[in-house]
Amino acid sequence: MSLPDGSAQYAQSQVPDSAATFSGVQIAIVKIGVVLALPAFITGAQIGFSLGFSRAAVAVAIGAVVLGVLTTMTATVGAVSRQSTALIVRYAFGSQGARAISALLGVTLIGFFAVTAEIFGRSLASLMERVLSVQVPASACIVAGGVLMILTSIYGFNGLKRLADVAAPVKLLGLLWIVAIALRDHDTTALLTTPAAPASLGVGVSAVIGGVAVSAAILPDMTRFARTPGHARAAGIVSYAIAFPLVLMLSAIPSIMTAEADLVEIMIGMGLGLPAFLFLVFAAWTTNTSNLYSAGLGLSSLFGGAGFALLAAAAGAAGIVLALFGVAEWLLPFLVFLGVGIPPIAGVYLADFYVVRRQRYDERALLDSPPISWRAIASWCAGVALGTAAALGLIRLTGVPSVDAIVTAFGMYSLLSVRQARIASVMEQQQ
């Protein structure tokens, strides 16, 4: 079987106007299919347990506002530039600096793929034994699921869209079904109960934003296909400021009422074995297909000659191998660190786009730019350092480490760029 034409993904070029035909609703459905996943269900349950339903709603609302602002900005960059995140970072970091950033993105997303594939495989094997009385090795489920995800990802954005068109409604209806049964069969006063030792509001807001900060940072990978910047902004707002918070609150309801954080376990307890099976498959399938899609775009900037489809397939194969070796336990701390490393990338490229270049990219400017922008590297390092310190509790700014990292990188890059422009202006006047 021949691989799809990688050039159709525009991994190394701008998306032409003829291909930028997707509405905000179409892009939002794709992103909703991605965020409507197991991590979101777990996050919603944990926020509900730790804060109580009413305070969780406040935390989610605050997080939704922050995500709305952030994704509006990142979505606009993608729609205006018509370029992927891996290409966008060239303007701020330089051609060679961007290669290091692309490598970081690729490694991180492959790691997330491996962890999701391993959890999926083990959960599916357990579910099949309990519901269908069929014993299947977890390794077989990991390989089968991984291959399915690879076959979807190599078809790029169109593959993601077709999957989301089916998966998003199925998962949303499944979630609503669980909520309806929980409300019918359990005492609703549990939703009004405040935990004995509730967590702070800041912890809840941090959980809301931190869970999708990486996804928001690489949103241009999707919005570059938007018809207009307005459609792109609408997709970001609908996906991250409306749909994602709604998913969190819906997930909290059955979890609080049943005292169980795992929605798959809740479905099994309700006698919904087959729906639980479909729910698990679609949840992992959409999330990991998106991971591979963005990983393929990042790797294409490093190994352009290989083609997007081949690189996405290779990234998926590497992820499957890692999953088979059971990397989730020791890889998760590493991915948490990398998760702090990606949001400040957005801080740098947002400052470069909005403050330095005034929302206009010029490919010719790359020819005159240094291969590595040290002010971008310094700003990113500052964002990572402060975000890590915030995550460890050593410093507190907004209470959300990923936001601290973005704001720090944005501010430092802006200040360094203004200073450099002033120095250049003085030197020009002296000449």
Side-chain angles (χ1 to χ4, degrees):
M1 182 184 72
S2 61
L3 292 175
D5 182 10
S7 64
Q9 307 313 319
Y10 308 104
Q12 300 178 64
S13 63
Q14 289 182 311
V15 174
D17 291 339
S18 60
T21 60
F22 293 92
S23 69
V25 172
Q26 289 175 309
I27 296 174
I29 290 174
V30 174
K31 291 307 299 181
I32 291 170
V34 173
V35 300
L36 197 65
L38 295 178
F41 304 145
I42 295 172
T43 299
Q46 291 175 339
I47 292 174
F49 276 134
S50 60
L51 276 77
F53 189 78
S54 59
R55 295 181 74 244
V58 175
V60 169
I62 295 172
V65 172
V66 176
L67 287 173
V69 173
L70 175 60
T71 55
T72 293
M73 296 177 71
T74 57
T76 300
V77 177
V80 171
S81 69
R82 301 273 189 230
Q83 298 179 54
S84 67
T85 309
L87 295 182
I88 287 170
V89 296
R90 296 176 302 162
Y91 296 94
F93 288 89
S95 58
Q96 295 303 313
R99 291 175 65 85
I101 296 300
S102 295
L104 174 65
L105 288 171
V107 169
T108 302
L109 292 167
I110 291 172
F112 281 131
F113 176 92
V115 170
T116 302
E118 181 183 346
I119 295 173
F120 165 78
R122 297 187 184 283
S123 299
L124 184 60
S126 174
L127 184 61
M128 292 179 69
E129 182 175 2
R130 294 168 60 186
V131 176
L132 304 177
S133 299
V134 176
Q135 290 187 340
V136 179
S139 58
C141 294
I142 290 173
V143 173
V147 170
L148 185 66
M149 297 159 189
I150 291 173
L151 291 176
T152 308
S153 68
I154 62 176
Y155 287 93
F157 185 78
N158 283 324
L160 270 172
K161 181 182 179 300
R162 291 177 182 176
L163 173 61
D165 286 344
V166 176
V170 168
K171 290 189 290 183
L172 182 58
L173 288 174
L175 182 58
L176 291 173
W177 191 0
I178 299 171
V179 171
I181 294 177
L183 291 173
R184 183 194 67 189
D185 297 344
H186 295 80
D187 185 4
T188 56
T189 57
L191 296 175
L192 305 177
T193 303
T194 301
S200 68
L201 203 61
V203 170
V205 176
S206 180
V208 173
I209 300 172
V212 290
V214 172
S215 177
I218 60 176
L219 186 56
D221 291 347
M222 304 287 183
T223 59
R224 63 199 177 115
F225 289 99
R227 293 175 189 168
T228 64
H231 278 281
R233 288 188 285 269
I237 291 173
V238 170
S239 303
Y240 291 91
I242 299 176
F244 179 65
L246 180 61
V247 169
L248 294 180
M249 294 311 301
L250 287 175
S251 300
I253 293 173
S255 297
I256 292 174
M257 299 182 74
T258 62
E260 171 61 62
D262 190 332
L263 282 186
V264 174
E265 289 292 335
I266 294 175
M267 294 180 78
I268 293 175
M270 292 177 173
L272 305 176
L274 182 57
F277 174 85
L278 295 175
F279 198 74
L280 176 63
V281 170
F282 278 121
W285 190 0
T286 49
T287 301
N288 255 3
T289 298
S290 177
N291 285 336
L292 278 190
Y293 172 66
S294 289
L297 291 176
L299 293 175
S300 292
S301 67
L302 298 175
F303 313 103
F308 168 82
L310 183 60
L311 290 171
I320 291 174
V321 171
L322 289 173
L324 290 173
F325 277 99
V327 299
E329 183 175 352
W330 63 266
L331 191 59
L332 276 173
F334 176 62
L335 290 176
V336 169
F337 167 75
L338 292 179
V340 176
I342 290 182
I345 295 174
V348 172
Y349 80 67
L350 287 174
D352 184 69
F353 181 75
Y354 287 100
V355 178
V356 178
R357 302 184 190 274
R358 307 294 182 182
Q359 302 189 42
R360 183 172 299 175
Y361 284 144
D362 185 353
E363 286 278 347
R364 293 170 297 182
L366 293 174
L367 300 176
D368 300 325
S369 300
I372 299 177
S373 170
W374 293 108
R375 72 177 186 275
I377 298 296
S379 301
W380 174 74
C381 288
V384 171
L386 195 139
T388 302
L392 295 174
L394 302 177
I395 191 172
R396 182 180 179 84
L397 293 180
T398 65
V400 184
S402 55
V403 173
D404 291 344
I406 293 173
V407 172
T408 300
F410 185 101
M412 185 168 180
Y413 185 83
S414 298
L415 291 174
L416 291 176
S417 297
V418 170
R419 179 176 179 273
Q420 182 178 7
R422 288 177 178 175
I423 293 175
S425 176
V426 170
M427 292 180 63
E428 184 178 339
Q429 290 175 0
Q430 291 177 345
Q431 294 177 352

